[in-house]
Amino acid sequence: MVRNVDYKCWLNFAQMGGHPAAKRYRDQLDSICVLGDGPISRTVKEELGRGLSELTGKDSFAVHAEPQAETSVIAAVDYLENGGLLDEGYIVRAAKAGDKVQVVISSPSERGLLYGTFAFLRQLQAGRGLEKIDILENPKNELRMLNHWDNFDGSIERGYAGRSIFYNRNELVDDLGRIQDYARLLASLGINSIAINNVNVHYLETTFIEERLDLVKTLADIFRPYGIKLFLSINYASPMQLAGLETADPLDPDVQQWWIDQTAKVYEQIPDLGGFLVKADSENRPGPFTYGRNHADGANMLGRALKPFGGILIWRCFVYDCQQDWRDYETDRARAAYDHFYPLDGEFDDNVILQIKNGPMDFQVREPVSPLFGKLERTNQILELQITQEYTGQQRHLCYLVPQWKEILEFDTFAKGPGSTVDKILAGAIFEQSHSGITAVVNVGRDGNWTGHTLAQANLYGYGRLAWDPSLSAEQITDEWVVATFGHNEKVKHTVSKMLLRSWEIYENYTTPLGIGWMCNPGHHYGPSVDGYEYSKWGTYHRADHQAL
Ligand code: GCV
């Protein structure tokens, strides 16, 4: 397998080699002790050993079976008083032990230990003094997710970094080790869920919930030790395709029973599956509208099948008329999601979540925030961002999206007075929600550097860090990423940070300035084209002319 020099992305601990801090760590750290033998604890042990060896240049670290006074790093569930910690939160704290420093990583859960371990390694990558480390962190968002738009044949819808890292010619790829490397990268950011197939579920991917459950199980086994749950994108019309039912009507008892039985079969194989993700009645996908039902009927039917297993049903709000006449000024795509879903507020079951794209149109270079945020008061909701650069230069152009996401997250909806920002809604702090969080369409593929354009790795990193803590500043995230990826050279840091931080606005200026969307070439969405989408059926009109914007 070809592995680029930048294959390791931000887990490139050896970059610390020449740094004076690395020498200090080398003297200070020589042993680890990880208590617990669950699959995630085993990962903690591996990551700690590997990270510290690479960072310090030492071949190996002594592994203590029990914590000792001289153990350099101890990681254990509930080792410290965990007051104030959520299940996935952690404490990383240094204390003096004789003339040495001892670092303890503690959490109520194994998953929290893993996140604490990576947080500790991040501190070391930044060159921080060991004795100063004292962190208590909880994730701000419960669901920190990624969506893959990978197809079973190995292609990726809107993928710009090569073919799928999961599938090839309707099978799993041979290189499962790479999937494990991917799981490490995600776990290091605190990502806890991924949807493993395209929301446009074609004929073959529909079989993932039936005869190809074996491959889902294999993937779940790879991601589990990294604390990552799998979600499956499902075809709403599965009962028709897989069982020959004549309808997929959500109120039909046979359809309901089929989903109950089929979901049970899925959970028999993968008991910790996160749940299902659905794109329905959108861009020619089947959905409840065909049967005169609404989206709460459709989503709740699936939610009820998942409920006994603790599963979650995620239902996308990207629903609009994609067969519009451009002369029709009445049908307004920008209102579509709002018009479909706002009237249903409060009608979704407690294990159903609505997934809302950040803007009312479709991942444009700049868009206002979707009006559903702030209006849906009684519905679980997550934000959907797009890391893959469909409309933002397709990973051939530099377009660092963290500044865009910060604007979205900090947008004040005033739903409950000033301060009702999108990030607080997502964290479940404004409205009562049983589930909340954030997801994004990922930008990775089989290219040696994962993302085509190496600097596009920063978008994945930045997304993960914001999903964990949206209050981090763009500058802080950028500095972290540059140092973790390229090391501590001040000139590199300054130059690359500046390039990244300015790139979104620059991209906007040379492609779609003045807040006008859709000025791109139809279909592939690459390259500016002023009237590219103006007279098409997609409802994508900017209607800017010599008289008005
Ligand atoms: C997965 C846009 C993209 C489609 C994508 C769709 C969606 O229309 O161009 O490729 O389909 O959004 O989010 O469902």
Side-chain angles (χ1 to χ4, degrees):
M1 279 313 129
V2 182
R3 306 281 195 229
N4 280 30
V5 282
D6 38 10
Y7 178 83
K8 289 188 175 175
C9 301
W10 50 89
L11 297 183
N12 192 358
F13 300 115
Q15 289 286 2
M16 281 297 285
H19 196 277
K23 165 145 195 344
R24 283 202 310 274
Y25 301 148
R26 199 181 155 85
D27 297 339
Q28 288 171 309
L29 301 167
D30 53 27
S31 53
I32 60 172
C33 170
V34 179
L35 295 182
D37 53 8
I40 302 182
S41 290
R42 285 199 289 278
T43 310
V44 171
K45 198 183 279 180
E46 254 169 54
E47 291 299 334
L48 209 48
R50 176 173 174 171
L52 292 180
S53 303
E54 289 182 18
L55 252 149
T56 59
K58 281 188 191 174
D59 284 347
S60 65
F61 276 70
V63 178
H64 297 166
E66 292 297 325
Q68 297 169 20
E70 66 274 16
T71 310
S72 321
V73 187
I74 300 167
V77 169
D78 290 334
Y79 194 78
L80 299 176
E81 181 65 43
N82 281 330
L85 282 190
L86 302 174
D87 194 49
E88 295 180 298
Y90 55 77
I91 294 172
V92 186
R93 186 168 292 155
K96 274 264 182 220
D99 58 348
K100 289 220 161 196
V101 182
Q102 184 171 70
V103 176
V104 172
I105 305 169
S106 177
S107 165
S109 71
E110 288 196 321
R111 202 184 255 149
L113 279 190
L114 185 59
Y115 301 149
T117 299
F118 281 114
F120 170 54
L121 293 171
R122 225 174 2 251
Q123 294 288 311
L124 303 189
Q125 278 179 308
R128 221 135 278 151
L130 210 55
E131 52 296 331
K132 296 207 183 95
I133 296 178
D134 186 4
I135 314 171
L136 184 153
E137 280 217 21
N138 285 312
K140 298 269 176 13
N141 293 303
E142 174 210 344
L143 205 63
R144 304 176 300 280
M145 187 171 184
L146 286 170
N147 288 188
H148 278 258
W149 285 355
D150 297 31
N151 301 315
F152 202 17
D153 64 5
S155 61
I156 302 179
E157 184 155 350
R158 312 305 178 189
Y160 309 104
R163 289 169 64 76
S164 168
I165 57 165
F166 296 155
Y167 316 114
N168 188 32
R169 298 179 188 201
N170 308 329
E171 278 305 329
L172 278 183
V173 291
D174 295 332
D175 189 4
L176 298 184
R178 179 166 189 160
I179 303 179
Q180 192 179 351
D181 289 342
Y182 179 56
R184 288 184 70 216
L185 288 171
L186 301 192
S188 74
L189 301 172
I191 299 294
N192 60 10
S193 307
I194 56 166
I196 57 164
N197 58 307
N198 190 354
V199 286
N200 290 328
V201 185
H202 311 102
Y203 189 84
L204 276 179
E205 291 104 36
T206 304
T207 64
F208 280 18
I209 58 167
E210 198 175 56
E211 67 250 40
R212 291 324 309 263
L213 263 173
D214 59 317
L215 75 87
V216 184
K217 188 172 174 330
T218 303
L219 289 177
D221 290 345
I222 297 174
F223 281 99
R224 188 173 298 111
Y226 296 87
I228 297 167
K229 283 189 178 189
L230 263 50
F231 279 73
L232 283 170
S233 298
I234 55 155
N235 176 353
Y236 188 78
S238 298
M240 299 171 79
Q241 184 186 310
L242 295 176
L245 266 61
E246 279 176 3
T247 174
D249 181 350
L251 300 194
D252 181 293
D254 289 341
V255 172
Q256 293 172 351
Q257 193 56 46
W258 186 85
W259 278 111
I260 289 170
D261 296 342
Q262 200 59 36
T263 306
K265 284 183 202 156
V266 173
Y267 273 85
E268 214 174 276
Q269 295 295 315
I270 306 126
D272 57 354
L273 188 86
F276 298 149
L277 167 65
V278 187
K279 170 175 177 176
D281 290 318
S282 165
E283 301 185 332
N284 309 313
R285 307 315 299 161
F289 283 166
T290 310
Y291 312 98
R293 313 298 183 195
N294 69 33
H295 279 221
D297 296 328
N300 290 340
M301 173 199 54
L302 292 164
R304 285 167 201 167
L306 287 158
K307 179 97 177 161
F309 308 100
I312 287 176
L313 191 273
I314 304 180
W315 189 271
R316 293 176 89 227
C317 292
F318 186 59
V319 178
Y320 70 98
D321 179 2
C322 66
Q323 297 289 343
Q324 220 183 301
D325 182 336
W326 62 269
R327 287 156 300 200
D328 166 14
Y329 274 61
E330 295 298 307
T331 312
D332 185 354
R333 174 165 166 184
R335 311 185 40 129
Y338 183 90
D339 287 345
H340 286 305
F341 287 94
Y342 175 55
L344 299 177
D345 190 20
E347 293 191 18
F348 293 91
D349 286 3
D350 65 354
N351 67 331
V352 172
I353 303 178
L354 294 189
Q355 178 165 314
I356 308 167
K357 286 194 183 185
N358 60 271
M361 293 298 267
D362 187 14
F363 298 138
Q364 296 305 289
V365 183
R366 184 182 290 276
E367 276 193 58
V369 166
S370 167
L372 283 170
F373 292 112
K375 281 303 272 187
L376 288 180
E377 297 196 3
R378 291 169 297 135
T379 303
N380 297 326
Q381 56 203 279
I382 57 175
L383 166 71
E384 178 179 343
L385 298 170
Q386 195 180 43
I387 311 175
T388 191
Q389 290 174 238
E390 176 179 359
Y391 293 98
T392 51
Q394 307 200 345
Q395 281 143 250
R396 276 173 273 178
H397 295 239
L398 179 59
C399 189
Y400 180 51
L401 293 163
V402 168
Q404 185 203 57
W405 300 333
K406 283 295 288 180
E407 265 190 31
I408 295 159
L409 292 163
E410 286 171 1
F411 179 78
D412 199 342
T413 67
F414 286 87
K416 290 262 162 112
S420 309
T421 47
V422 171
D423 60 352
K424 293 208 186 101
I425 293 174
L426 302 180
I430 303 291
F431 306 120
E432 219 174 281
Q433 299 178 60
S434 46
H435 297 286
S436 57
I438 178 164
T439 191
V441 186
V442 76
N443 61 346
V444 300
R446 225 180 291 162
D447 278 3
N449 63 358
W450 301 91
T451 53
H453 190 314
T454 300
L455 296 187
Q457 290 176 359
N459 279 330
L460 180 55
Y461 182 86
Y463 167 74
R465 296 290 287 134
L466 283 177
W468 179 271
D469 182 0
S471 72
L472 292 171
S473 73
E475 289 72 18
Q476 180 181 344
I477 293 172
T478 313
D479 281 358
E480 262 181 30
W481 179 78
V482 178
V483 164
T485 307
F486 299 118
H488 280 266
N489 181 311
E490 275 308 312
K491 194 164 179 196
V492 172
K493 190 166 144 188
H494 176 77
T495 310
V496 176
S497 298
K498 196 164 145 197
M499 284 168 66
L500 288 168
L501 286 166
R502 295 183 56 201
S503 58
W504 170 46
E505 277 196 25
I506 293 174
Y507 187 80
E508 180 182 26
N509 284 339
Y510 71 78
T511 56
T512 107
L514 305 170
I516 306 171
W518 297 109
M519 297 206 306
C520 57
N521 286 298
H524 56 75
H525 301 161
Y526 185 72
S529 173
V530 172
D531 271 355
Y533 259 116
E534 209 48 18
Y535 309 104
S536 74
K537 60 182 180 175
W538 294 95
T540 42
Y541 321 118
H542 56 66
R543 294 193 165 128
D545 60 14
H546 63 290
Q547 288 178 323
L549 293 179

